[in-house]
Amino acid sequence: MGLFSKDIKSMDDLFMHTLRDIYYAEKQIVKALPDMIKKSSEPQLKQGFQSHLNETENHVKRLEQVFKLAGEEPRGVDCPAIDGIIEEAKDVAGEVENKSVLDAALIAAAQAVEHYEITRYGTLISWANQLGHGDCVSLLQQDLDEEKAADKKLTAMAEGQVNRKAA
Ligand SMILES: [Fe+2]
Ligand SMILES: [Fe+2]
């Protein structure tokens, strides 16, 4: 369903569409992370991906609670944006042989994922506030805080040893 689908008529519809979009995205990320864990070499990075996989599984569960609060069954809609980001990550990683360069490529791909999530959660939180879904806000905020923390950790790793080793 496209953004301007005729099924989206109100802000509530738009909120629900975007919730389904991030729900689909989180589930795709749960599927993609094990491969990134496998491909990474730096122990700190590997462990960071592992702990974000655990967090991401919780993001899926929190979103299911948000659906419940909104009185809807949890369901996703195709999100070509996250599919594209994950696809591109696989393409780039597939071409890199040097382990340190591969780590740098994985960090860059993971940050693109985090930034996608951050933009979606930021939007959902402001719409939830506008629409009076205050009960959904704290759940969405917890996800957003973990995405931001993950992004920061990735930046620290990129600026620390990983990119230096790859250079
Ligand atoms: Fe997430
Ligand atoms: Fe994330």
Side-chain angles (χ1 to χ4, degrees):
M1 188 167 67
L3 182 61
F4 298 106
S5 158
K6 58 182 166 39
D7 296 327
I8 299 173
K9 294 190 179 92
S10 65
M11 280 308 293
D12 273 302
D13 296 340
L14 191 56
F15 176 78
M16 192 46 61
H17 174 82
T18 306
L19 188 62
R20 289 174 180 149
D21 173 296
I22 189 67
Y23 184 61
Y24 172 89
E26 292 283 15
K27 288 179 126 184
Q28 295 303 106
I29 297 163
V30 167
K31 282 192 221 161
L33 273 167
D35 191 48
M36 297 176 80
I37 294 167
K38 220 189 309 164
K39 283 178 180 160
S40 56
S41 305
E42 194 66 47
Q44 197 194 357
L45 180 60
K46 216 181 246 299
Q47 200 215 314
F49 281 148
Q50 182 59 57
S51 74
H52 200 54
L53 173 56
N54 300 338
E55 286 176 342
T56 303
E57 284 165 346
N58 273 327
H59 297 171
V60 171
K61 286 184 198 145
R62 284 200 196 104
L63 289 174
E64 286 168 354
Q65 286 176 261
V66 174
F67 277 107
K68 219 184 204 171
L69 288 171
E72 296 272 346
E73 281 298 310
R75 101 178 142 81
V77 285
D78 281 355
C79 168
I82 198 72
D83 286 339
I85 291 170
I86 292 171
E87 199 53 48
E88 192 179 348
K90 283 184 193 158
D91 281 357
V92 173
E95 288 164 12
V96 180
E97 272 179 40
N98 178 289
K99 281 186 187 326
S100 299
V101 177
L102 179 54
D103 278 352
L106 290 169
I107 289 176
Q111 287 199 280
V113 171
E114 294 316 313
H115 283 238
Y116 182 76
E117 294 183 282
I118 288 166
T119 180
R120 282 293 180 253
Y121 281 114
T123 296
L124 280 166
I125 288 165
S126 69
W127 287 347
N129 276 317
Q130 275 176 41
L131 293 165
H133 300 319
D135 48 355
C136 301
V137 170
S138 76
L139 290 161
L140 296 166
Q141 187 67 50
Q142 288 174 57
D143 283 4
L144 177 60
D145 290 345
E146 288 180 357
E147 311 301 8
K148 284 186 175 168
D151 183 51
K152 257 196 188 153
K153 263 195 236 164
L154 288 163
T155 298
M157 280 188 254
E159 290 176 351
Q161 42 192 340
V162 173
N163 281 2
R164 246 196 330 269
K165 276 189 193 168

